[in-house]
Amino acid sequence: MANEKKIDQVILGLLSHTDMTGYEIKKRMDTTLSYFWSGSYGSIYPALKTMEANGLVTSHSYSQNGRDKISYSITQSGRDTLSDWLKRPATRDELHYETLLKLFFAGEGSPSQALAHIAAFQARTEEGLPYLTRSVESLRAIQDNPAHMYYMLTAMFGEKIYNAYLEWCEEATSMIQEYEKKTQNSD
Amino acid sequence: MANEKKIDQVILGLLSHTDMTGYEIKKRMDTTLSYFWSGSYGSIYPALKTMEANGLVTSHSYSQNGRDKISYSITQSGRDTLSDWLKRPATRDELHYETLLKLFFAGEGSPSQALAHIAAFQARTEEGLPYLTRSVESLRAIQDNPAHMYYMLTAMFGEKIYNAYLEWCEEATSMIQEYEKKTQNSD
DNA sequence: TGGCTCATGTAATCTGTTACATGATTCT
DNA sequence: AGAATCATGTAACAGATTACATGAGCCA
């Protein structure tokens, strides 16, 4: 009955803001949503087809700059579906930190490997943080629209945990380096 | 060639510390690893069977308190597989925060719904935090073993981000409440 | 006695990724 | 000219969850 497929809800949510093509939806996931959601073309395009067949979205094809595009709009039925989903409590948050997993078992490897995993994680985080900081700043300025407040809140979440990541990276790195110094082990 | 199936690596990692039954592996995931990994019986038991067939683990059945158990041990081949995996960089961390998703689209719902999602997230976080704090404290005391340092580092990670979650929950809650006051909207 | 936890397991299903294919346009 | 990006899409596969089944022991 109730549509629980998450990818559908994400797409409906994005379309509730503005019309988009499948390609744009993917891009949006890779930027605005990247710190709390992800999805591939292989899930987006089929989901759009299915939802159109079910009357949750409509499409119209057009050409822009010589490129063929298919833009999707949310229907009232789609809005109702999204609204129903928003009413229900979140079932759970699915977090799979491969980095943490490798660190947890790092006793089977070497300290330098552990340091490398942390450094890679740190680099990725540092790369993503400026985008979040900019988002928070620009959204703080425009308080016209309730939706903008919610965007800001999620961006604030991202900014906060990214900063927590970076703090942790520094602490963890120096603890492992201390340990290396004490044991004088090479690998 | 190289075994990339994550559930296999998690199990090998746990077995690298000590022998365990499938049931114990599941329990461990739900406690020690819960803030960065999860898995179900439906993935654990079949993985154990397959890995036994491939010589990565061995099993022995016994009875304890009248209960039949199957305990698994990691083999040298299993350790090699784990070690190979630890050498390779983490491909990516998969984070799916359903809570954030519902908040991002909360403009299509009501402020009270948004507050409810945050409150539920806060409650779950508050429930899990004491376990992490205790883990960090007890692991800080025993610095005998490199493996313990890595456990502590992951627990520290959990503690840090859980505290960041809670800070954010308070900020987000009061911002939404401010907004509600300004607009005097009921839902 | 009834309900919960311990303990193992399977089948159906879901959901999604990866890798590929296609072809046009824009950038260098 | 060649590489990268825009843009859509599919097929094969991977990986995991859910729901169920079974049965024993423990607690109130």
Side-chain angles (χ1 to χ4, degrees):
Chain A
M1 177 109 280
N3 190 340
E4 281 295 349
K5 224 173 132 193
K6 305 275 172 61
I7 188 71
D8 289 359
Q9 308 301 335
V10 181
I11 293 173
L12 288 175
L14 290 172
L15 293 180
S16 80
H17 299 153
T18 180
D19 292 0
M20 282 196 236
T21 68
Y23 192 80
E24 287 166 346
I25 288 169
K26 168 67 171 156
K27 286 286 152 286
R28 183 60 69 88
M29 284 187 189
D30 290 346
T31 54
T32 315
L33 308 185
S34 67
Y35 57 98
F36 67 90
W37 209 265
S38 58
S40 64
Y41 290 123
S43 64
I44 293 168
Y45 284 115
L48 285 167
K49 292 256 165 178
T50 307
M51 289 199 288
E52 184 173 23
N54 294 336
L56 304 181
V57 301
T58 55
S59 73
H60 86 108
S61 305
Y62 67 106
S63 219
Q64 192 181 50
N65 305 327
R67 292 183 199 280
D68 290 337
K69 300 191 179 194
I70 305 174
S71 182
Y72 288 87
S73 310
I74 192 168
T75 64
Q76 188 54 49
S77 168
R79 271 183 209 281
D80 295 343
T81 301
L82 177 63
S83 173
D84 277 352
W85 176 75
L86 285 172
K87 280 181 195 128
R88 292 195 294 276
T91 51
R92 71 153 158 271
D93 299 305
E94 283 272 346
L95 309 181
H96 283 194
Y97 286 95
E98 197 179 336
T99 302
L100 269 271
L101 207 52
K102 298 216 183 201
L103 194 70
F104 191 82
F105 301 128
E108 290 290 308
S110 70
S112 69
Q113 280 167 25
L115 288 170
H117 292 312
I118 295 172
F121 180 69
Q122 186 169 16
R124 266 180 285 152
T125 304
E126 278 169 350
E127 198 195 324
L129 184 55
Y131 173 82
L132 287 167
T133 306
R134 277 200 307 277
S135 296
V136 171
E137 276 168 25
S138 64
L139 286 164
R140 205 185 289 279
I142 45 166
Q143 290 287 3
D144 54 335
N145 187 318
H148 283 136
M149 176 181 63
Y150 294 115
Y151 302 165
M152 183 177 69
L153 292 178
T154 52
M156 278 170 60
F157 179 94
E159 195 187 17
K160 209 172 251 293
I161 60 169
Y162 270 42
N163 278 315
Y165 288 169
L166 292 180
E167 276 180 34
W168 174 83
C169 285
E170 289 194 17
E171 287 176 25
T173 298
S174 62
M175 286 184 75
I176 297 173
Q177 284 170 344
E178 276 303 309
Y179 168 80
E180 264 187 323
K181 234 183 277 174
K182 270 194 299 192
T183 57
Q184 312 285 20
N185 275 346
S186 65
D187 43 294
Chain B
M1 176 109 277
N3 189 341
E4 280 295 350
K5 225 171 130 192
K6 306 273 172 62
I7 188 71
D8 289 0
Q9 309 300 337
V10 181
I11 294 173
L12 289 175
L14 290 173
L15 293 179
S16 80
H17 298 153
T18 180
D19 291 0
M20 283 195 236
T21 67
Y23 192 80
E24 287 165 347
I25 288 169
K26 167 68 172 157
K27 287 286 154 286
R28 184 59 70 87
M29 284 186 189
D30 290 344
T31 54
T32 315
L33 308 185
S34 66
Y35 57 98
F36 67 90
W37 209 265
S38 58
S40 64
Y41 289 122
S43 64
I44 294 167
Y45 284 116
L48 284 167
K49 293 256 164 179
T50 306
M51 288 199 289
E52 185 173 22
N54 294 337
L56 305 181
V57 302
T58 55
S59 72
H60 87 108
S61 305
Y62 67 106
S63 220
Q64 193 181 48
N65 306 328
R67 293 184 197 279
D68 291 337
K69 300 190 181 195
I70 305 174
S71 183
Y72 288 87
S73 309
I74 191 167
T75 65
Q76 188 54 49
S77 168
R79 271 184 210 281
D80 294 344
T81 301
L82 178 63
S83 173
D84 278 351
W85 177 74
L86 285 172
K87 279 180 196 128
R88 290 196 295 277
T91 50
R92 69 149 160 276
D93 300 304
E94 281 273 347
L95 310 181
H96 284 191
Y97 286 96
E98 197 180 336
T99 301
L100 270 269
L101 207 52
K102 297 212 183 204
L103 195 70
F104 191 81
F105 300 128
E108 289 291 306
S110 70
S112 68
Q113 280 167 25
L115 288 170
H117 293 313
I118 295 172
F121 180 69
Q122 186 169 17
R124 267 180 284 152
T125 305
E126 278 169 352
E127 198 195 323
L129 183 55
Y131 173 82
L132 287 167
T133 305
R134 278 200 309 275
S135 297
V136 171
E137 276 168 22
S138 63
L139 286 165
R140 206 185 287 279
I142 44 168
Q143 292 285 6
D144 55 335
N145 186 318
H148 283 136
M149 176 181 64
Y150 294 115
Y151 302 166
M152 183 177 69
L153 292 178
T154 52
M156 278 171 60
F157 179 94
E159 197 187 16
K160 211 173 250 295
I161 60 168
Y162 270 43
N163 278 315
Y165 288 170
L166 292 180
E167 275 180 36
W168 174 82
C169 285
E170 288 195 18
E171 287 176 24
T173 299
S174 63
M175 285 184 77
I176 297 173
Q177 284 169 345
E178 276 302 310
Y179 169 79
E180 263 187 324
K181 234 184 277 174
K182 268 194 298 192
T183 56
Q184 311 286 19
N185 275 346
S186 65
D187 43 293

